[in-house]
Amino acid sequence: MKSKWKRPNWNKYFLKVAELVAKRSTCLRRKVGAVLVKDKRILATGYNGAPTKIEHCQVTGCLRKRLKVPSGQRHELCRGLHAEQNVLLQAALHGVSVKDSILYITNAPCSICAKMIINAGIKEVIYNDSYPDKMAEDFLKSAKIKLKKIK
C-alpha cells in the first residue's frame, strides 16, 4: 500500500531538526542550529549563544553590531559560542563520541569551527545556508570532509 504523505529524506529531516534547534538561539544577528548524527541517531544538539550562566546578548546587546563588524570577521568580539562549538561541547560534556558522525547545521561553518570539526573526527557537514568564510571551506576540503549544501 502506497503512503498518502511523503516522508522527508534523512538529510532534510535532520536539517529541519537543526532549524528547530536554531530557534533556541540567543544571538541577535543570526540564529544557527546544529545536530550531530551517527547511524541516523541524534548524538547532540547545539545553538549559538552566550555560555551557561553568562548574560545573553538579548540583555547586554551585541558588541559586534555596535562596532559594525561584518559577518564572518572578528569572532573574538562575540560573547556567544557558535552552534558547532556548542554541539561538540554538549557531546563532550555527556561523554558521547562524535567520531565519524555527520554535522547538520543551518549555516556553513566558520574557519574556527571548521578546525574543530576536523579534529573532532566528523566525516561530513550538511548545511542550508552559506557563510562568508572561504578558508573554512578550504580547510574542510583539505581534510577530505564532505561538505554538502541542501536547499
Side-chain angles (χ1 to χ4, degrees), residues 74-136:
R74 302 291 315 267
H75 299 286
E76 76 279 5
L77 294 177
C78 181
R79 66 189 294 109
L81 291 160
H82 287 187
E84 304 94 319
Q85 295 165 339
N86 271 327
V87 77
L88 291 170
L89 290 167
Q90 284 302 309
L93 185 65
H94 297 288
V96 177
S97 172
V98 300
K99 188 176 188 303
D100 296 324
S101 64
I102 299 172
L103 177 63
Y104 290 88
I105 189 155
T106 55
N107 292 85
C110 72
S111 56
I112 294 168
C113 292
K115 292 182 276 187
M116 293 179 180
I117 289 164
I118 293 164
N119 277 4
I122 293 168
K123 67 179 182 179
E124 186 172 4
V125 176
I126 299 174
Y127 65 98
N128 276 338
D129 294 320
S130 298
Y131 187 76
D133 194 333
K134 175 83 169 93
M135 187 181 285

Side-chain angles (χ1 to χ4, degrees), residues 3-98:
S3 176
K4 292 182 181 182
W5 64 89
K6 186 176 178 185
R7 294 172 67 195
N9 67 35
W10 287 110
N11 286 341
K12 288 185 180 180
Y13 171 75
F14 289 121
L15 280 172
K16 284 290 187 191
V17 173
E19 289 172 11
L20 180 60
V21 171
K23 292 182 184 299
R24 291 281 306 152
S25 170
T26 60
C27 181
L28 300 175
R29 290 175 59 145
R30 183 190 313 257
K31 308 285 187 204
V32 182
V35 180
L36 272 171
V37 175
K38 187 171 183 179
D39 300 326
K40 298 179 183 159
R41 301 290 179 255
I42 295 173
L43 303 176
T45 64
Y47 51 86
N48 58 329
T52 303
K53 300 179 185 173
I54 302 292
E55 283 190 312
H56 297 299
C57 299
Q58 294 162 325
V59 175
T60 65
C62 178
L63 177 60
R64 290 169 48 85
K65 189 174 184 177
R66 277 197 305 273
L67 297 175
K68 297 183 172 104
V69 176
S71 183
Q73 297 179 19
R74 302 291 315 267
H75 299 286
E76 76 279 5
L77 294 177
C78 181
R79 66 189 294 109
L81 291 160
H82 287 187
E84 304 94 319
Q85 295 165 339
N86 271 327
V87 77
L88 291 170
L89 290 167
Q90 284 302 309
L93 185 65
H94 297 288
V96 177
S97 172
V98 300

